[in-house]
Each structure stands twice: as structure tokens, then as C-alpha cells.
Amino acid sequence: YEKSTKEDTDEFLQKEIQSMTEQVADDFYNACLHTYMNKYYSTILKIQDYQHEHEQEQEQKEYRIPSEPPKDLETKLKKEQQEIKAEIYQKLMNAVKAVNTSVQSESILKQYLERELKKQQNYIEDEIHRFEISGALDALDAENIQYYQVVCESYYEACDACKKLHRKKQPASEAKEGVNLPPLHPNC
């Protein structure tokens, strides 16, 4: 392995970590926006389908054009993108500081960084899921739906916390993430 000076390694690490965090933060923003919008509009269409199924005399379904999502969505996402970027950068820097960088080659450090970044991406997936839930709740609000149910994708594989909420009718106004609304735990 080719050894480099401490300054070269430090400079390489800072550039590599900066590049990784920029990419993850941009991916995070795009994934959250996409996930939120999909969930928002699909929830509204599901609500309208449900309402049409329960209307007796309506022969042809008429769909209303869904209202736009809240105006502050992009601002909220940009702010969270910056927070995620700072948090990931700090965690990656701390992870690298824990390694004795003076005896590592750049390729070994890059592999180490990529492993640490993978851990952070699991955290990011949970954050993206929060925006999916937020899109569904905003859709319920836009359609004046007062109640919701949590439905476990696979009840028998769900954890005890999720099973307790499965199919229970909950007031939408009392929805509280981590209490009666997913995500209740990491990888929920």
C-alpha cells in the first residue's frame, strides 16, 4: 500500500467526506420530495376511490383535482437537507478520527468511509419514511379526513409496538410520530 503524508491524507479525507455528504444530502432531498409527493397524491386518490365505493347512486366516478401540498414543504426540506448534511459530515469525520490515519492508505480509508456512510444511509431511509408519513397526513388534512389506521405490511413479522397499532382507528388530529404513528423505531 502506498503511504501518504498526514497532510495529504487529511486533505483527501476532507474532500472525500465533503463529496459524500453533498451527494447523500442531495439524494435525501430528492428522495424526500419524491416520496412525499407520491404519498400525498396517492393518498388523496385512495380517499376518493373509497368515497366513490360507498356512494350508492353515483354511476360514474368523478375525481376532484387534489389541492396542492403545503407551501412550506420545500423550505422544510431544504432546511432538513442542510441539517442532514452537517450531521453526516460530523459523524463521518468522527469515525475517521477514530482511525489512526497516518498508517492507512487512501484506498483503505475510502473503503472505511464508504462503510460508515452505509450506516448513515440507514438513518436517511428512516428520515425519508418520515416525509412519506407526513405526505399522507397532509393529504388526510386536505381531504378533511378525521381518522386514520396504521396497517402493518406483514402483521406476523411486525414488532410488538407496531402490532399494537395495527388497524386501530386513530384521530388524525392526535397523530404523533413515534407514539401512534410510524416510524416508531429505526427501520420501522
Side-chain angles (χ1 to χ4, degrees):
Y1 292 107
E2 191 179 302
K3 290 188 178 182
S4 55
T5 66
K6 176 103 171 96
E7 289 106 20
D8 289 343
T9 302
D10 288 347
E11 184 179 334
F12 164 78
L13 286 174
Q14 286 182 343
K15 285 181 182 176
E16 194 66 27
I17 289 172
Q18 188 64 42
S19 172
M20 288 176 159
T21 55
E22 292 287 333
Q23 184 62 48
V24 169
D26 290 347
D27 290 349
F28 167 77
Y29 174 81
N30 292 326
C32 283
L33 186 60
H34 180 77
T35 300
Y36 176 96
M37 297 302 266
N38 278 346
K39 194 62 167 186
Y40 180 82
Y41 287 115
S42 68
T43 300
I44 288 176
L45 291 175
K46 285 178 186 176
I47 290 167
Q48 290 183 14
D49 273 343
Y50 179 82
Q51 290 168 341
H52 289 308
E53 286 174 16
H54 292 87
E55 291 175 358
Q56 304 256 330
E57 308 218 358
Q58 182 112 9
E59 283 187 29
Q60 188 172 1
K61 295 179 181 180
E62 290 183 32
Y63 288 94
R64 289 174 275 108
I65 296 173
S67 58
E68 291 295 316
K71 300 277 187 232
D72 66 340
L73 172 65
E74 190 170 353
T75 305
K76 187 165 67 171
L77 269 173
K78 286 286 187 188
K79 181 180 178 210
E80 194 147 340
Q81 178 187 28
Q82 293 306 313
E83 290 169 4
I84 290 287
K85 191 185 303 184
E87 186 171 339
I88 289 174
Y89 181 82
Q90 193 58 51
K91 285 183 178 181
L92 289 175
M93 285 300 284
N94 290 342
V96 168
K97 286 177 186 176
V99 175
N100 184 357
T101 57
S102 62
V103 296
Q104 302 290 326
S105 72
E106 287 182 5
S107 63
I108 291 172
L109 284 170
K110 188 170 183 174
Q111 289 173 0
Y112 181 75
L113 274 174
E114 286 171 357
R115 224 177 18 253
E116 288 300 313
L117 186 61
K118 194 74 173 157
K119 291 178 190 175
Q120 296 307 312
Q121 286 172 332
N122 289 335
Y123 162 72
I124 296 295
E125 288 172 9
D126 288 342
E127 291 297 301
I128 291 169
H129 185 64
R130 280 189 330 98
F131 275 89
E132 180 181 31
I133 297 299
S134 177
L137 284 176
D138 287 345
L140 294 178
D141 187 46
E143 293 291 305
N144 291 326
I145 302 297
Q146 283 96 27
Y147 296 94
Y148 72 96
Q149 286 181 328
V150 174
V151 179
C152 297
E153 190 173 308
S154 175
Y155 178 79
Y156 297 105
E157 294 176 14
C159 70
D160 290 339
C162 292
K163 283 181 180 179
K164 286 179 186 174
L165 294 177
H166 183 67
R167 297 218 180 263
K168 288 195 176 165
K169 189 175 178 180
Q170 306 272 351
S173 62
E174 295 176 15
K176 190 164 190 155
E177 183 183 313
V179 177
N180 59 6
L181 184 69
L184 299 174
H185 51 77
N187 298 317
C188 186

